[in-house]
């Protein structure tokens, strides 16, 4: 076997690591589970009207992009959500993240949702789809960074 | 200076590379320019009614998530778009990708759009926002993998 200098060996090792697929994290499964759990918490908190728990799911630079309004920064959410949640009217919410892709400290989730809500005294079911960018925090947890959704009807 | 064994030096070099920010690609600027150009092509092709050019912007596994329908796979787009584009009625389209983030072979773009369209013989302006996942192709180009949008009004 040919002798490799320390410098050459170091360069080869560095190159090997640099060309590993960026998404090939050993802990992708744990990340996917954490992100699935986040959606469970999101839905439960929304139905319970628990604004604090729901707001804690958002990155400090987060942005929500709901239909019918320009994008809302997390500061706007913090100001408006407690009163909006207190009004109630969301009887059920199911969120199914059908796809979760991790790349380093970023992830996206895509899926569908439905929700039974009181509107003018009658319960209606809405259904739609969403696409969300999540960002890994310094403590390893995931939070919502960009979130957009729209209805199917 | 303490002597470092070849193995130890290799481990340190590998660790240094592994902890580089994953998004710190030297060619991020070129990627951002390519993605910005993609949106220019998207808007121009839509106004021109050029279905072939527009469809070529989509990944073979792409999915569009417009309001008012469940998600549409790229096969559905290929089947429906030529006739839909031939009907015309989109007089202008401006797409502004206000944010582009690259992570390996994935990217997301977030932004706003507006478009002047003929509806029942009258021109109306619609405006909204979008979030898009793009995927790097084997030839280095970017294509649309997931795309969702909704209106501001």
């Amino acid at each position: 076997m040919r002798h490799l200098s320390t410098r050459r060996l170091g360069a080869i090792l560095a190159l090997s690591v640099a060309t590993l697929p960026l998404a090939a994290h050993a802990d992708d499964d744990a990340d996917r589970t954490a992100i699935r759990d986040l959606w469970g918490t999101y839905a439960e908190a929304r139905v319970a009207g628990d604004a604090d728990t729901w707001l804690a799911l958002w990155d400090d630079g987060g942005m929500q992009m709901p239909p019918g309004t320009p994008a809302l920064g997390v500061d706007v959410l913090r100001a408006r959500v407690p009163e909006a949640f207190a009004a109630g009217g969301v009887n059920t919410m199911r969120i199914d993240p059908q796809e979760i892709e991790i790349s380093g400290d970023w992830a996206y989730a895509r899926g569908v949702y439905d929700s039974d809500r009181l509107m003018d005294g009658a319960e209606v079911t809405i259904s739609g789809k969403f696409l969300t960018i999540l960002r890994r925090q310094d403590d390893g947890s995931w939070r919502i960074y960009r979130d957009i959704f729209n209805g199917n009807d």
Side-chain angles (χ1 to χ4, degrees), chain A:
Chain A
M1 188 175 154
R2 200 162 66 82
H3 172 74
L4 289 172
S5 72
T6 300
R7 198 168 70 178
R8 187 164 162 74
L9 179 64
I12 289 170
L13 283 169
L15 188 67
S16 305
V17 173
T19 54
L20 280 175
L22 290 171
H25 273 237
D27 54 355
D28 266 12
D29 284 350
D31 286 331
R32 285 200 177 82
T33 300
I35 290 170
R36 253 184 231 108
D37 289 349
L38 180 151
W39 289 121
T41 304
Y42 181 111
E44 282 171 26
R46 183 64 191 91
V47 172
D50 181 351
D52 288 345
T53 297
W54 190 86
L55 286 167
L57 300 176
W58 290 80
D59 187 279
D60 282 339
M63 182 185 288
Q64 189 192 42
M65 302 161 72
T69 171
L72 309 171
V74 74
D75 290 346
V76 176
L77 298 181
R78 287 171 182 154
R80 293 185 189 173
V81 158
E83 191 177 324
F85 276 27
V90 179
N91 295 344
T92 70
M93 180 177 280
R94 278 189 314 178
I95 302 175
D96 182 9
Q98 299 173 311
E99 180 186 15
I100 296 171
E101 186 70 40
I102 319 277
S103 183
D105 290 337
W106 296 98
Y108 80 79
R110 176 195 59 81
V112 296
Y113 63 86
D114 60 64
S115 178
D116 296 324
R117 313 182 161 219
L118 277 182
M119 285 186 183
D120 301 325
E123 191 175 82
V124 297
T125 301
I126 61 166
S127 66
K129 52 210 176 295
F130 68 92
L131 182 63
T132 305
I133 306 293
L134 301 111
R135 195 173 186 176
R136 196 195 303 270
Q137 308 292 298
D138 288 343
D139 67 0
S141 67
W142 291 90
R143 291 200 191 178
I144 301 168
Y145 192 64
R146 301 285 176 258
D147 182 56
I148 183 168
F149 52 96
N150 62 37
N152 290 345
D153 299 307

